[in-house]
Amino acid sequence: MTMGMTMTLDRNTEHATDLETIWGEVGASIERFVRRRISDPHQADDVVAEVMLRIHQNLGTLDDQERVTAWVFRITRNAITDHYRRTGRRR
């Protein structure tokens, strides 16, 4: 496994792509990203939980192991957008 600005997961390892591995690598960055965009801490926590759920539900759709970080941030941006749609507010 390589860590840096882009995370790469080795498909040949036993823990190739799982939520715990992904979250261990990018979780803190995702939490900061969400909290900078959603000021209410409780709502931000809800969005972070939604991101974790979406990652778990969609791990099977991840085609390019080289782009895990980009994939996770796309899920996060979409969850933030969905949050604002549901609440009827803009950032």
Side-chain angles (χ1 to χ4, degrees):
M1 182 175 3
T2 305
M3 185 178 153
M5 200 57 178
T6 301
M7 184 176 68
T8 303
L9 298 173
D10 182 2
R11 281 195 146 161
N12 298 322
T13 64
E14 183 178 316
H15 303 288
T17 307
D18 61 36
L19 181 59
E20 185 176 345
T21 302
I22 292 170
W23 203 255
E25 296 292 333
V26 297
S29 296
I30 294 300
E31 289 175 3
R32 282 190 304 273
F33 185 80
V34 171
R35 283 181 173 73
R36 281 194 306 260
R37 286 154 180 81
I38 299 175
S39 59
D40 182 281
H42 299 291
Q43 290 181 1
D45 288 344
D46 289 345
V47 171
V48 169
E50 177 68 22
V51 169
M52 291 178 69
L53 179 63
R54 289 181 187 188
I55 291 169
H56 176 71
Q57 290 174 331
N58 294 295
L59 277 174
T61 66
L62 177 60
D63 295 326
D64 187 354
Q65 297 289 317
E66 300 292 321
R67 303 200 29 89
V68 173
T69 303
W71 179 76
V72 169
F73 272 92
R74 172 57 58 197
I75 289 171
T76 304
R77 283 189 297 274
N78 290 344
I80 292 168
T81 299
D82 291 345
H83 164 75
Y84 282 114
R85 284 183 184 146
R86 277 192 310 272
T87 62
R89 296 183 325 191
R90 295 221 180 247
R91 199 163 59 98

